Amino acid sequence: MEAAGAGTGVAVSRQEAPKPSDDRLFLVKGGIFLGTVAAAGMLAGFVTTLSLAKKKSPEWFNKGSMATAALSESGSALALRALGWGSLYAWCGVGVISFAVWKALGVHSMKDFRSKMQSVFPTIPKNSKSAVEWEEALKSK
């Protein structure tokens, strides 16, 4: 497109660059959407697995859901405790690894981190042609 009345032949885009606040809002909306989809998928998987276990052996399912004299803790309470400790270890582990990488690179902000990563890793080409033809890779032999 050319600007009206310019007559210089220089192409000018009529679209404005997005504002930083628009980019941030887009990222927040995207994060909320992805979080919602992930949570829904995990919940659906958990409910499906639970119903399958109950349908397969209802008497063992009921034994595991209540504490008995032989077992001081029900199976669901034990699983919930294990999930809590596993989640704590996972969060702490990722935090420690992230902190170690941050300190090892010697960066002080996210901009420094981004520029350091761009200098370390090769750039990704922005061409429309895919390096892998998925139709050929996934077709049956």
Side-chain angles (χ1 to χ4, degrees):
M1 283 185 209
E2 289 186 16
T8 60
V10 178
V12 178
S13 175
R14 293 189 186 259
Q15 293 180 349
E16 294 180 20
K19 299 175 190 168
S21 62
D22 291 343
D23 288 342
R24 189 162 186 81
L25 180 64
F26 179 74
L27 288 175
V28 169
K29 284 182 180 179
I32 290 171
F33 173 75
L34 289 177
T36 304
V37 169
M42 289 189 315
L43 183 65
F46 179 74
V47 169
T48 303
T49 304
L50 201 60
S51 66
L52 184 65
K54 188 171 185 173
K55 189 183 295 183
K56 191 172 181 181
S57 57
E59 69 178 50
W60 282 104
F61 183 82
N62 289 335
K63 281 183 183 179
S65 62
M66 292 179 280
T68 60
L71 299 171
S72 61
E73 190 173 23
S74 70
S76 57
L78 180 65
L80 190 59
R81 190 165 49 116
L83 177 66
W85 280 108
S87 299
L88 178 69
Y89 290 148
W91 278 92
C92 291
V94 169
V96 166
I97 290 170
S98 300
F99 183 74
V101 167
W102 187 271
K103 288 300 179 183
L105 290 175
V107 295
H108 300 290
S109 68
M110 284 302 290
K111 287 185 179 183
D112 291 344
F113 182 75
R114 188 177 98 200
S115 65
K116 182 71 98 168
M117 287 293 108
Q118 286 176 343
S119 68
V120 171
F121 291 109
T123 59
I124 298 171
K126 300 244 192 276
N127 58 2
S128 61
K129 179 90 170 122
S130 174
V132 176
E133 293 297 329
W134 292 107
E135 289 80 22
E136 292 180 18
L138 296 177
K139 72 178 178 182
S140 60
K141 296 179 181 181

